[in-house]
Amino acid sequence: DEIIALVQLEEKRKARVGTLSGGQKQRLSVACALAGDPDLIFLDEPTTGLDPQSRRQLWDLVDRLRAMGRTIMLTTHYMDEAERLCDRLVVMDKAKIVAEGSPRELIEQYSTREVLELRFPDAVRAGLDGRLTGIGDRVEMLPDRAQIYTTDGESALQQVDACGIPIESAVVRRSTLEDVFLRLTGRGLVE
């Protein structure tokens, strides 16, 4: 009863597994893992394929388990999930550990405080040819935008403006664990 309540499946107590939603099945899997009252719980990509509400419910469940003193070993490809749920993590590339630490430590070590994302009209983009070099710590040109890694996104935007480069849009955001992951592992697909 306690475990069923913990995973919020009281109303589905008598339901057949085949009638449960994806999120309910994931919570049921966690409930089965908790049946032996383990101190260590392994969750292998528990939110893959879940809708946003089910995903958040599973995150809340992980938070409750951690508050109960359980250790959770979580594998995920979702960097926002790792950043939100993990105290410590390892980044792996081709079955090798390439970095480890807390999410904040990894961001501080491998990225900058902010990222300025710029989109340009097609004609302008074709003629950029290094005009952003020297703005920020690192410039990354992507097919649809440029990302300038910097400690101060607004200052970097002023530098771009001072160069007279027309832009379609500009967004300053904080660096994320996804920025770290892509920097460490690259942007190419690994099969």
Side-chain angles (χ1 to χ4, degrees):
D1 289 339
E2 221 174 277
I3 293 171
I4 296 277
L6 180 66
V7 298
Q8 300 174 337
L9 287 174
E10 299 95 339
E11 76 284 355
K12 296 294 184 178
R13 178 181 302 280
K14 301 219 186 266
R16 292 185 137 337
V17 173
T19 66
L20 300 177
S21 70
Q24 291 167 339
K25 287 177 182 174
Q26 288 292 66
R27 293 196 321 265
L28 177 61
S29 293
V30 173
C32 291
L34 293 173
D37 195 26
D39 292 327
L40 176 61
I41 302 162
F42 289 89
L43 298 177
D44 185 18
E45 299 189 30
T47 62
T48 299
L50 296 184
D51 62 74
Q53 293 92 347
S54 296
R55 188 172 185 225
R56 294 297 171 136
Q57 282 183 330
L58 213 100
W59 287 7
D60 292 343
L61 176 57
V62 169
D63 284 337
R64 288 194 301 277
L65 292 169
R66 289 173 57 206
M68 294 167 60
R70 301 299 197 278
T71 299
I72 313 290
M73 294 288 293
L74 173 77
T75 61
T76 184
H77 286 97
Y78 300 132
M79 294 301 101
D80 62 325
E81 183 167 88
E83 192 170 341
R84 160 75 173 67
L85 294 177
C86 297
D87 298 318
R88 306 269 317 148
L89 58 96
V90 296
V91 176
M92 298 186 72
D93 186 32
K94 299 176 187 143
K96 295 200 183 331
I97 294 174
V98 294
E100 60 184 291
S102 72
R104 182 57 32 212
E105 289 168 348
L106 291 174
I107 291 168
E108 288 172 1
Q109 185 173 356
Y110 295 102
S111 195
T112 55
R113 188 168 59 89
E114 295 182 342
V115 179
L116 170 62
E117 292 191 357
L118 300 169
R119 295 185 192 275
F120 305 96
D122 290 339
V124 171
R125 181 170 173 60
L128 281 176
D129 197 32
R131 291 179 64 194
L132 300 174
T133 303
I135 300 174
D137 294 3
R138 179 168 62 96
V139 176
E140 190 172 87
M141 297 301 295
L142 302 172
D144 63 334
R145 67 192 181 284
Q147 293 187 148
I148 300 175
Y149 290 84
T150 180
T151 55
D152 184 350
E154 289 298 327
S155 175
L157 181 57
Q158 290 172 357
Q159 290 176 322
V160 172
D161 190 46
C163 291
I165 302 171
I167 59 173
E168 283 182 345
S169 67
V171 173
V172 175
R173 63 171 176 80
R174 72 174 184 86
S175 283
T176 66
L177 205 50
E178 186 166 316
D179 295 312
V180 171
F181 182 85
L182 291 172
R183 181 162 191 199
L184 292 172
T185 64
R187 289 187 176 274
L189 289 177
V190 178
E191 301 287 335

